[in-house]
Amino acid sequence: MKAHDDLYIDGAWRPATSTDAIEVVNPADEQIIARVPAAGPLDVDTAVRAARAALPAWAATPPAERAARLAALRDVLVTRKDEIAETVTAELGAPLPFSQAVHAAVPIAVAGSYAELAATHSFEEKVGNSTVLHEPIGVVGAITPWNYPLHQIVAKVAPALAAGCTVVLKPAEDTPLTAQLFAEAVHEAGVPAGVFNLVTGRGPVAGQALAEHPGVDLVSFTGSTAVGRQIGAVAGAAVKKVALELGGKSANVILPSADLAKAVNVGVANVMSNSGQTCSAWTRMLVHRDRYDEAVELARTAAAKYGDRIGPVVSAKQQARVRGYIEKGIAEGARLVAGGPESPHEKGYFISPTVFADVTPGMTIAQEEIFGPVLTILPYDDEEDALRIANGTVYGLAGAVWAADEAEAVAFARRMDTGQVDINGGRFNPLAPFGGYKQSGVGRELGAHGLAEYLQTKSLQF
């Protein structure tokens, strides 16, 4: 797609007040492919005012009509799925087949799920002598990351629109072209002016202005825990609601009875997916000590298959960050089984698929989110030891458990302090709630639980 030189505000593309621009770089070859405006506080204010003005009419729109607009949006995204995939590949670096299968297909499914929910959800209920109303919370400030650029947008904007809220979106600086394409789709779907607004910009400027704006009723943010704390503090001072989907260091627990080869191969694939840039990735593989050496060798072999199958990480900054963690792991005594800090290509922000063995729970690479194609393998002595290690970080976003007996895996999963657990490689479910325990966040996305984040409750007594 051709980049817009403007911001999408109140149903039209409008010039930014600032002359500052953001350069969009293809991480595979380090070439500048576009420039987009970097919105300032005045632009954010204009967008919030447009959303505020559009709120009463959109909130009063019957749910069936909101559902129709969301269905139209889904249909537009379907017609542009190839363009979506190509755009994500250009600005994120994901291989085109992965962009087609995941970056384009998943948000289309999520948009469709909210079209259905908007039409079928009960926005009021009877509780004794009361009628309980579930009303839109108001204007939503949505701040999204770069790792799944369209999915993260749709996971916030679709439920907000289904609920009757209006939205101002500030996407990540690294992947603004996908957000512009989404704005085009919203316009083509006939969503009324002001209901959705897009301000491309930098986090410390546009993001902060959006989080602080008194006209914003809810800030929905996906990103690092450090930034999430800042947004939570800003929102708390204004007593406004936040929904925060933050970091993760998820455990892939392979119990002794499991099919080890399958669990290890699926676990490695999970970590290497999207070049490791997935907050819910199972970056800690826990294996019983009796089968540990076998698991390490399986992981080494599996990782070698991904050498030319994963794309770069998103930026030079991210590449340096991941390299730093790999070097830290080596310095702290972990054994490098595959990969390493050296780039496998002269051009592009590539990281070799990396596997560490002999990792202890207290090591930096076992505690902190790396956000790259780096797997750590930790041994455990028994199930209680495995549970202690699995729950032994500040995060609790996702995880996995493998066992020959499904009931055994479920029993272990119930004891994990995390928001989502896949049992024996369970499939992604776009209707299931997604979100974290502990410092992995506040609130849930997807399905009816995601819709509830954008509603507030009123009771009428009779």
Side-chain angles (χ1 to χ4, degrees):
M1 66 166 287
K2 184 181 183 299
H4 288 272
D5 297 326
D6 300 320
L7 310 172
Y8 184 76
I9 298 176
D10 203 17
W13 294 96
R14 305 174 186 276
T17 58
S18 170
T19 58
D20 187 20
I22 296 170
E23 293 181 341
V24 184
V25 176
N26 184 327
D29 60 15
E30 304 180 38
Q31 298 300 304
I32 297 171
I33 57 174
R35 290 177 175 82
V36 300
L42 288 177
D43 301 307
V44 171
D45 181 65
T46 301
V48 172
R49 289 178 183 275
R52 194 98 237 152
L55 179 62
W58 183 247
T61 299
E65 292 184 29
R66 300 201 297 261
R69 295 280 64 77
L70 284 167
L73 173 60
R74 174 206 56 209
D75 293 345
V76 174
L77 294 175
V78 169
T79 65
R80 302 185 70 172
K81 64 182 186 300
D82 291 338
E83 187 180 4
I84 292 167
E86 291 165 2
T87 301
V88 173
T89 292
E91 63 181 355
L92 179 63
L96 186 59
F98 186 80
S99 291
Q100 292 167 332
V102 177
H103 287 294
V106 171
I108 287 171
V110 172
S113 75
Y114 278 112
E116 294 178 13
L117 267 173
T120 60
H121 187 78
S122 177
F123 289 92
E124 63 178 70
E125 58 183 317
K126 290 292 292 183
V127 180
N129 65 307
S130 301
T131 297
V132 179
L133 309 178
H134 303 283
E135 300 180 333
I137 198 166
V139 174
V140 174
I143 304 174
T144 56
W146 45 260
N147 60 327
Y148 288 90
L150 184 59
H151 170 65
Q152 299 287 1
I153 289 170
V154 171
K156 297 181 188 305
V157 175
L161 299 190
C165 298
T166 56
V167 180
V168 178
L169 168 67
K170 205 297 287 182
E173 296 97 304
D174 294 296
T175 54
L177 303 183
T178 302
Q180 289 189 341
L181 193 157
F182 179 77
E184 292 178 353
V186 167
H187 190 85
E188 188 176 340
V191 174
V195 171
F196 170 80
N197 307 272
L198 170 66
V199 288
T200 52
R202 307 183 196 281
V205 179
Q208 183 168 340
L210 185 58
E212 292 177 344
H213 200 290
V216 171
D217 301 294
L218 163 67
V219 181
S220 181
F221 169 79
T222 298
S224 72
T225 297
V227 176
R229 288 193 196 100
Q230 296 172 11
I231 289 175
V234 167
V239 196
K240 69 175 69 174
K241 185 178 178 181
V242 294
L244 304 173
E245 197 266 280
L246 308 175
K249 194 68 182 176
S250 301
N252 180 17
V253 182
I254 304 174
L255 296 177
S257 67
D259 180 334
L260 185 66
K262 181 178 180 181
V264 170
N265 284 318
V266 174
V268 171
N270 176 277
V271 173
M272 301 307 159
S273 177
N274 208 39
S275 302
Q277 300 168 126
T278 303
C279 53
S280 57
W282 311 332
T283 52
R284 294 180 298 144
M285 181 179 289
L286 277 57
V287 185
H288 192 277
R289 199 172 295 278
D290 290 347
R291 305 194 72 184
Y292 185 75
D293 291 340
E294 183 184 356
V296 169
E297 181 58 25
L298 286 167
R300 184 195 65 77
T301 302
K305 300 175 183 177
Y306 288 89
D308 295 321
R309 290 167 56 185
I310 65 173
V313 293
V314 73
S315 65
K317 178 182 177 182
Q318 188 63 19
Q319 184 188 47
R321 170 188 167 88
V322 176
R323 281 177 169 172
Y325 273 111
I326 295 173
E327 291 166 353
K328 184 81 168 177
I330 295 170
E332 291 186 356
R335 174 163 57 98
L336 190 64
V337 174
E342 298 81 13
S343 175
H345 302 289
E346 291 185 8
K347 273 283 189 181
Y349 309 128
F350 290 89
I351 295 287
S352 295
T354 298
V355 177
F356 278 105
D358 301 342
V359 179
T360 59
M363 286 182 178
T364 302
I365 58 171
Q367 288 291 320
E368 297 184 11
E369 185 175 46
I370 298 173
F371 228 60
V374 181
L375 170 66
T376 61
I377 311 180
L378 298 89
Y380 66 85
D381 295 317
D382 53 31
E383 284 197 16
E384 291 305 314
D385 189 35
L387 185 68
R388 176 185 61 80
I389 296 170
N391 290 340
T393 76
V394 298
Y395 298 113
L397 186 57
V401 183
W402 300 79
D405 180 3
E406 184 177 285
E408 179 188 7
V410 170
F412 189 95
R414 287 179 180 275
R415 301 170 68 195
M416 294 174 71
D417 297 334
T418 192
Q420 191 172 79
V421 184
D422 293 343
I423 305 297
N424 290 333
R427 292 179 294 110
F428 171 73
N429 179 2
L431 298 179
F434 178 76
Y437 286 21
K438 300 187 285 188
Q439 292 187 27
S440 284
V442 176
R444 293 294 180 267
E445 293 186 327
L446 304 181
H449 293 82
L451 177 62
E453 294 293 333
Y454 299 91
L455 296 168
Q456 56 189 346
T457 304
K458 177 189 294 178
S459 61
L460 309 178
Q461 279 62 250
F462 294 90

